[in-house]
Amino acid sequence: SMDGPVSISIYSVSGRRITTLGNLPGRTGYNQHHWNLLDGDGDMVASGTYIYVVSAGDSEITGSATVAR
């Protein structure tokens, strides 16, 4: 509902945090950000399903993404 920083955390389906993309610019309305498919160590992630949590202010949304190679 207002401009501000956004954080995206990505987890494996077992709950292990893969990476966090923080302090992304967020504007009111539709936003998108492309994940480069790297984990926190800079290694490419494996094919599979990942859970993402998008946090902005007091709001959070959760979803899933599938990586297929």
Side-chain angles (χ1 to χ4, degrees):
S1 63
M2 56 193 253
D3 294 353
V6 175
S7 174
I8 303 172
S9 295
I10 301 172
Y11 299 88
S12 67
V13 292
S14 65
R16 184 176 67 91
R17 185 171 52 213
I18 302 299
T19 192
T20 298
L21 312 170
N23 287 325
L24 302 170
R27 304 254 182 225
T28 301
Y30 178 80
N31 292 267
Q32 66 180 4
H33 183 79
H34 297 276
W35 174 34
N36 60 8
L37 301 179
L38 299 178
D39 65 12
D41 295 328
D43 299 321
M44 292 293 284
V45 297
S47 295
T49 301
Y50 295 87
I51 308 301
Y52 61 85
V53 179
V54 179
S55 303
D58 294 335
S59 300
E60 273 189 358
I61 60 166
T62 302
S64 64
T66 300
V67 174
R69 296 183 201 266

